[in-house]
Amino acid sequence: MKDPYISQDSRENWDNRVLNLASICLPWLLMVAIASGSEKQLAPTATTLLVFAVFFAMTVVGVAIGMHRYFTHHAFKTSGFIKVCLGVLGTWAMQGDITRWVADHRRHHRFADKQFDPHSPWYSDRGPIPNRLHGWFHAHMGWMIYGRVSQPGRYAPDCLADRSIAVLSRYYWPIVALGLVLPGAFGYLLGGEGEMARCVFWAGAARVALLHQLTWSVNSFGHLFGQKVAGSDSEARDNIFFALLLLGEGLHSHHHWRPASAMNEPKHLDAGGWLIRGFEKLGLVWHLR
Ligand SMILES: [Zn+2]
Ligand SMILES: [Zn+2]
């Protein structure tokens, strides 16, 4: 049995669970606070929807292209400036800091749907999960609440050695706060105080909560429902619904088949891959794999 490199340090594991729970709950608490504390009308206006769309798109790019294809799989190379931009946008998704995200995801690929995969609907660290509903919950969000830390020294030594990633990881919460404050600032500029409250509610907090569900769905639904690449050795599936919503990230069976590829198959469904090619044309990224 290969060493799973999971932390045995109970303090470290508890700190991680607290961080995960805070990241999961904070957007909902913020929405409740705004809804109960504000006299303002919260139904979204055209301005709210515009600010929501811009911040949602930027954060999906941060997760799909930044956290996943760049920081975890090194699917392309880029400059220090673009790296920091992708890191900030990925952190706005409130899914843990870059180093932790990368370490968990690399452990997921190493054990894909076997014991010690951090978030498989089929296996937990303890062994097979017989009940599919339990498996779905474990892969969707349970693993963050009771799972253990994937040791960054083993899974993400490149992140630990990178100064800018270390800084982005250390300032996780201030960067997260910026991702909630900025939509409010745009709302204020475009429509005053009422629009500010609506933009923090929808383009800040609700945007994070929605993207949480969509990202986790790739781990849960994306390992249960959809087409498998012939001969694949994991339960990852190509799911067109999540592919369209998440810049091609739902093409998850193809992704497990060729994890480091900048472009997923089928190409016409992988908007993320085309975006990376567009960035390449602009000279922003290079050496696509
Ligand atoms: Zn997967
Ligand atoms: Zn991956």
Side-chain angles (χ1 to χ4, degrees):
M1 169 66 71
K2 33 186 186 181
D3 188 336
Y5 294 101
I6 296 169
S7 178
Q8 304 299 329
D9 180 340
S10 58
R11 173 75 196 272
E12 186 181 25
N13 285 323
W14 275 110
D15 285 352
N16 184 49
R17 289 167 194 148
V18 170
L19 175 89
N20 288 342
L21 260 181
S23 296
I24 292 167
C25 296
L26 196 83
W28 292 99
L29 294 175
L30 187 57
M31 282 189 277
V32 169
I34 294 171
S36 54
S38 169
E39 308 281 280
K40 308 282 187 299
Q41 181 60 252
L42 287 178
T45 64
T47 305
T48 323
L49 293 177
L50 177 72
V51 177
F52 173 90
V54 168
F55 276 85
F56 183 78
M58 286 198 294
T59 319
V60 175
V61 167
V63 173
I65 294 178
M67 292 294 210
H68 191 211
R69 297 192 204 187
Y70 178 67
F71 290 111
T72 304
H73 293 300
H74 298 307
F76 56 86
K77 292 200 188 313
T78 189
S79 64
F81 175 70
I82 297 292
K83 174 167 68 175
V84 169
C85 290
L86 289 173
V88 168
L89 297 183
T91 304
W92 283 0
M94 235 192 261
Q95 298 177 4
D97 64 65
I98 299 171
T99 308
R100 187 55 43 84
W101 204 105
V102 167
D104 283 330
H105 192 70
R106 287 182 183 158
R107 175 151 76 97
H108 169 61
H109 276 275
R110 183 167 177 240
F111 291 100
D113 293 310
K114 307 283 183 317
Q115 191 172 11
F116 303 124
D117 178 338
H119 49 64
S120 166
W122 304 88
Y123 266 92
S124 73
D125 288 353
R126 291 198 210 94
I129 305 173
N131 180 294
R132 287 287 67 78
L133 189 62
H134 176 202
W136 174 86
F137 176 76
H138 170 73
H140 198 71
M141 58 190 298
W143 69 282
M144 288 177 280
I145 300 165
Y146 51 72
R148 290 176 294 169
V149 170
S150 311
Q151 288 180 1
R154 165 61 178 78
Y155 289 104
D158 51 329
C159 294
L160 293 176
D162 187 305
R163 255 189 73 82
S164 53
I165 296 178
V167 171
L168 289 166
S169 294
R170 187 169 333 123
Y171 293 101
Y172 175 71
W173 286 112
I175 298 170
V176 159
L178 183 69
L180 298 169
V181 167
L182 271 182
F186 279 104
Y188 185 77
L189 288 175
L190 294 169
E193 273 180 36
E195 197 53 58
M196 179 175 79
R198 284 189 286 277
C199 282
V200 175
F201 186 93
W202 291 104
R207 178 253 311 169
V208 170
L210 174 67
L211 190 54
H212 273 166
Q213 296 300 326
L214 293 175
T215 309
W216 303 338
S217 292
V218 175
N219 301 336
S220 56
F221 294 112
H223 277 252
L224 287 167
F225 301 108
Q227 298 280 326
K228 272 207 274 188
V229 173
S232 78
D233 57 0
S234 77
E235 290 297 329
R237 311 297 171 99
D238 287 347
N239 186 304
I240 291 174
F241 179 69
F242 294 111
L244 293 176
L245 281 173
L246 286 173
L247 296 179
E249 293 292 278
L251 303 170
H252 201 57
S253 186
H254 272 93
H255 170 63
H256 272 263
W257 181 51
R258 280 187 184 157
S261 175
M263 174 75 87
N264 281 327
E265 303 278 343
K267 290 188 178 63
H268 66 278
L269 288 175
D270 185 22
W274 290 108
L275 204 55
I276 294 171
R277 286 199 179 177
F279 290 160
E280 184 188 32
K281 292 258 183 301
L282 295 172
L284 298 174
V285 307
W286 49 88
H287 292 330
L288 269 56
R289 291 165 74 183

